[in-house]
Amino acid sequence: AQSVAQPEDQVNVAEGNPLTVKCTYSVSGNPYLFWYVQYPNRGLQFLLKYITGDNLVKGSYGFEAEFNKSQTSFHLKKPSALVSDSALYFCAVRVREGGGNKLTFGTGTQLKVEL
Amino acid sequence: GAGVSQSPSNKVTEKGKDVELRCDPISGHTALYWYRQSLGQGLEFLIYFQGNSAPDKSGLPSDRFSAERTGGSVSTLTIQRTQQEDSAVYLCASSLARTNYNEQFFGPGTRLTVL
């Protein structure tokens, strides 16, 4: 079985401050990890993914995420938040070997960036 | 190019009626997924199609739910005898399926309300 936990329903941050959206995962095997963002009344958009190699992954709109195998985490970060980053963020995991076709999503974290 | 499209964008129906939701994937994408997004519950995997292979139906919540994919392109999700708990946003996604770490591209969703 595979699962994803996003422990915070909402994260509030001031514009210009760094932001972190937390994600931990559980899989039997090695994971592929993804972050997606959902803006109001729009579909999910891919942000970034970890496949293998460098634990720090850089993605769209200045976002990055760090894969930490010992802590089974894949937290999303951005050095300086923008009001336009306000959206719903989803972490997702897929096991590399023998996991079938299922991408398992977390319940989402609402990010609110204020002036 | 064109992204994933879904129709209708909104559907209101009465309990007990059947509904059909349509998804047009990105041209050339052989993998197609259906998810259900309920408030506070993240994305729930429903079904996966890959080329001419038998679909992975492991996420369908009951036998009232079914899906088809004709000609390897357009897909229809059918819900028979709708119940109020079926109310949700139904999302379709497609991807290139050469590897299982390709990101998925999502449509805007169909918001289903069962009265």
Side-chain angles (χ1 to χ4, degrees):
Chain A
Q2 54 195 46
S3 64
V4 174
Q6 293 182 244
E8 302 155 316
D9 291 337
Q10 182 160 322
V11 170
N12 296 322
V13 65
E15 188 174 53
N17 283 359
L19 69 87
T20 299
V21 182
K22 296 179 180 177
C23 170
T24 58
Y25 66 90
S26 174
V27 296
S28 300
N30 294 308
Y32 295 129
L33 292 155
F34 303 81
W35 276 101
Y36 286 82
V37 59
Q38 187 176 35
Y39 296 100
N41 300 315
R42 294 172 64 179
L44 274 76
Q45 297 177 28
F46 168 77
L47 268 183
L48 50 80
K49 64 183 175 185
Y50 170 79
I51 302 172
T52 188
D54 194 347
N55 289 340
L56 184 64
V57 177
K58 294 186 182 297
S60 306
Y61 312 121
F63 283 93
E64 59 188 29
E66 186 165 11
F67 170 63
N68 187 317
K69 188 171 184 178
S70 63
Q71 296 185 4
T72 62
S73 68
F74 190 57
H75 300 330
L76 181 70
K77 299 182 179 184
K78 187 174 182 181
S80 179
L82 299 172
V83 172
S84 57
D85 293 329
S86 299
L88 185 59
Y89 290 81
F90 289 95
C91 181
V93 67
R94 190 176 208 172
V95 67
R96 285 192 210 174
E97 303 90 8
N101 309 306
K102 188 176 179 180
L103 187 63
T104 299
F105 285 82
T107 52
T109 298
Q110 186 71 47
L111 174 66
K112 187 173 183 181
V113 182
E114 300 168 309
L115 292 170
Chain B
V4 177
S5 61
Q6 293 186 246
S7 60
S9 56
N10 281 285
K11 176 71 176 178
V12 180
T13 191
E14 294 179 347
K15 178 181 173 181
K17 295 286 180 68
D18 297 351
V19 295
E20 285 190 351
L21 312 179
R22 177 187 168 104
C23 172
D24 282 88
I26 293 173
S27 177
H29 281 190
T30 57
L32 187 147
Y33 306 78
W34 282 98
Y35 295 88
R36 178 166 69 176
Q37 184 177 18
S38 303
L39 192 62
Q41 296 190 20
L43 274 73
E44 175 188 10
F45 167 80
L46 297 177
I47 189 169
Y48 163 79
F49 295 91
Q50 167 50 41
N52 295 322
S53 302
D56 177 354
K57 304 179 182 181
S58 61
L60 294 177
S62 78
D63 59 8
R64 297 187 294 105
F65 288 72
S66 63
E68 291 184 341
R69 189 178 185 190
T70 54
S73 180
V74 171
S75 177
T76 301
L77 177 69
T78 300
I79 309 173
Q80 295 179 309
R81 305 180 302 282
T82 52
Q83 304 294 313
Q84 289 182 332
E85 60 262 29
D86 299 335
S87 296
V89 177
Y90 289 82
L91 295 170
C92 175
S94 69
S95 73
L96 294 168
R98 287 193 295 270
T99 67
N100 63 353
Y101 54 75
N102 283 323
E103 57 267 32
Q104 297 177 19
F105 294 81
F106 284 79
T110 294
R111 182 176 297 277
L112 175 66
T113 303
V114 182
L115 301 176

